[in-house]
Amino acid sequence: MAYSSKAPAHVLVLLKNLNFQRATGQFCDCVIRLQLNPEKLYLAHRNILAASSPVLASLLSSQGTLLDLQFPGLTHETLELLLEFIYTGMYLFYHSGNNTNNNNNNNNNNKKKRSDATQSHKAFCSHCLCDHRLKYT
């Protein structure tokens, strides 16, 4: 009789190792370039990108090892967040601004900008991954 069990720790270790390999350029067989700044390149693994997104899988099958992304509004920050999500399963967002600022108008404007940027990142990631786990709210 066969028994099966899930090993969530294995998945986490695997993702951690893949992300480390991406960060150090080990076994990367794909280069991502943005139209916005073609000099900045991102290393990745084709099979990881293809498995994470039907959109990326389609682009990889037609473009080969150089994935030239020309989505309107795609920034380096958004691409970095997308890669972070693909390789770790975590959606992180960063914001700048002085949280100690006592000026309410300035504080509200900063919150609005962060919210708009977050929504833009989530919208792109959701589109690219065809994934409903990233909501727009």
Side-chain angles (χ1 to χ4, degrees):
M1 182 180 331
Y3 295 95
S4 72
S5 67
K6 292 185 178 182
H10 171 74
V11 173
L12 295 176
V13 170
L14 185 63
L15 282 174
K16 183 178 178 181
N17 288 339
L18 287 168
N19 197 35
F20 177 78
Q21 288 177 357
R22 177 179 66 96
T24 58
Q26 291 180 323
F27 309 112
C28 293
D29 57 357
C30 176
V31 176
I32 303 171
R33 179 174 64 189
L34 293 182
Q35 178 184 20
L36 181 67
N37 182 1
E39 293 82 33
K40 182 149 174 74
L41 303 174
Y42 298 86
L43 297 175
H45 304 93
R46 289 170 47 91
N47 59 339
I48 303 301
L49 297 177
S52 67
S53 164
V55 173
L56 294 176
S58 175
L59 290 171
L60 285 164
S61 66
S62 65
Q63 291 189 27
T65 59
L66 176 61
L67 188 57
D68 207 357
L69 298 180
Q70 300 182 19
F71 294 106
L74 177 59
T75 65
H76 288 284
E77 183 181 31
T78 303
L79 179 58
E80 288 169 5
L81 291 171
L82 176 64
L83 289 171
E84 186 73 20
F85 180 76
I86 288 171
Y87 278 86
T88 67
M90 292 186 292
Y91 179 75
L92 305 172
F93 68 94
Y94 306 95
H95 58 81
S96 60
N98 186 355
N99 289 337
T100 61
N101 188 348
N102 291 329
N103 184 337
N104 283 339
N105 280 341
N106 203 11
N107 220 6
N108 289 338
N109 286 339
N110 285 341
K111 286 181 184 176
K112 172 80 169 119
K113 287 178 186 176
R114 287 193 304 264
S115 176
D116 290 347
T118 299
Q119 296 309 314
S120 175
H121 297 324
K122 285 183 178 181
F124 177 78
C125 291
S126 181
H127 163 75
C128 197
L129 297 171
C130 295
D131 188 326
H132 301 290
R133 290 176 287 178
L134 298 174
K135 300 294 181 189
Y136 298 106
T137 58

